[in-house]
Amino acid sequence: MRVRNIDKNNDWRFGHSKSDYVTEAYAVALDIKLKYQEWFRDCFFAEQNGIDWRTRLGAHNQKELLDNDLIRIAEGVEGVVSVFGFNSYVDGRRYRCQFQVYQSYSTDVLPVSFDSEEVLNG
């Protein structure tokens, strides 16, 4: 697996040839993060991708649905074998989760954490 790397501003890196890409375990973690940052119906060629952040964080009783969205997306990333140890927290309109991933590129467990403020304020 190979994914274009991002810089400190979450922009794709360009102009450095092969060093603009990451592979294996880091690519899995980065791909999960990038897919979490997608907004549902935001991209004309992939309208069903992403998460409906406005609905999930703008309405009550959406935590379980949001948990399911994030688990489904992580499990669909190339290289992910399984997701386990999923914990999440909602504080007002802020959602945070942590979990581990078994992935096909290493026997090491890959820890993943996500904070919705990266999407909403990033």
Side-chain angles (χ1 to χ4, degrees):
M1 172 179 202
R2 188 171 80 165
V3 175
R4 182 170 291 280
N5 203 359
I6 58 175
D7 63 18
K8 64 182 178 180
N9 298 316
N10 271 342
D11 291 326
W12 283 336
R13 291 185 43 167
F14 290 98
H16 301 96
S17 188
K18 290 183 180 181
S19 69
D20 285 331
Y21 294 88
V22 295
T23 60
E24 299 178 352
Y26 183 67
V28 171
L30 184 58
D31 201 23
I32 291 170
K33 176 182 178 177
L34 294 174
K35 286 182 182 342
Y36 284 177
Q37 292 176 340
E38 292 178 0
W39 288 69
F40 184 66
R41 298 192 192 279
D42 189 48
C43 183
F44 73 92
F45 61 84
E47 288 193 347
Q48 300 304 309
N49 291 1
I51 296 172
D52 189 359
W53 288 106
R54 284 182 193 89
T55 300
R56 295 290 186 250
L57 293 176
H60 294 291
N61 303 319
Q62 296 284 308
K63 181 183 176 298
E64 184 176 334
L65 295 171
L66 188 52
D67 290 346
N68 293 337
D69 287 342
L70 273 75
I71 291 169
R72 175 186 47 81
I73 288 170
E75 289 176 339
V77 167
E78 179 184 334
V80 171
V81 175
S82 67
V83 173
F84 68 99
F86 191 92
N87 291 305
S88 65
Y89 312 91
V90 174
D91 181 16
R93 293 187 57 137
R94 184 177 189 179
Y95 175 89
R96 290 177 277 187
C97 69
Q98 298 175 326
F99 57 95
Q100 288 83 35
V101 171
Y102 285 122
Q103 39 88 28
S104 60
Y105 300 103
S106 170
T107 57
D108 296 335
V109 172
L110 180 67
V112 177
S113 62
F114 181 75
D115 188 331
S116 65
E117 289 199 349
E118 295 176 19
V119 173
L120 301 175
N121 300 326

